[in-house]
Amino acid sequence: HFYLNWQQPVGVTMGWDEIHRRACAAAADPQGLQVYTAAKQRVIIGEWSLALNHDAPLDLTRAETRAHLARFYKEQLEVFAATPGVGGAFFWTLRMGSGWDPRPSDAHPHGQQADGTSAWKSLPGYPFPVWSLLEMAEAGVAAPLNASYAGTCKH
């Protein structure tokens, strides 16, 4: 797992400059990925996301917020791709808070999207839209996971 969400004490809020600095410095952190890559261990990032500051709410209606999140998204992918030994990364999660019910039933053996909901949009009042890759794509934040974002950290 790789998250900046819980890297500071509760009550301490990182600003965007610090968030971007930490995202780009992650490959060199001797307490992080380097522990494994220095030991020649292959790494798969089992979970990563755009959650920040202990799940502090973000105003996704603000273009500035979406732009910072898009940059943060690409910075993380740049670091993962540029770090020797990292073989892949999984965003947590494809859809969350959207009304998806994964429980199998006779009528829907593979689960179903609840009537009147969308996999692309959190339910009203759901506080964590940044955990949903589909919603972040719809907001213009998430971009293709397999694209190259080399140079994003030089911003």
Side-chain angles (χ1 to χ4, degrees), residues 3 8 10-11 17 19 35 47-48 56 60-61 70-71 79 91 113 124 132 137 150-151:
Y3 292 113
Q8 73 287 352
V10 174
D17 288 344
I19 289 164
V35 169
E47 293 179 15
W48 66 281
L60 295 175
T61 65
R71 180 176 157 198
V79 167
F91 189 92
Q113 189 72 40
S132 173

Side-chain angles (χ1 to χ4, degrees), residues 74-155:
K74 292 174 182 175
E75 288 165 344
Q76 291 182 92
L77 287 173
E78 176 185 353
V79 167
F80 300 155
T83 302
V86 174
F90 295 88
F91 189 92
W92 185 265
T93 182
L94 180 63
R95 57 183 164 230
M96 189 167 168
S98 69
W100 171 253
D101 184 352
R103 296 173 293 184
S105 66
D106 290 339
H108 303 282
H110 303 291
Q112 70 172 338
Q113 189 72 40
D115 291 341
T117 68
S118 168
W120 297 86
K121 182 78 175 140
S122 293
L123 297 170
Y126 183 73
F128 310 115
V130 295
W131 290 95
S132 173
L133 184 61
L134 289 177
E135 189 155 357
M136 291 299 93
E138 188 73 6
V141 170
L145 291 164
N146 61 348
S148 172
Y149 299 108
T152 303
C153 283
K154 293 178 183 176
H155 188 272

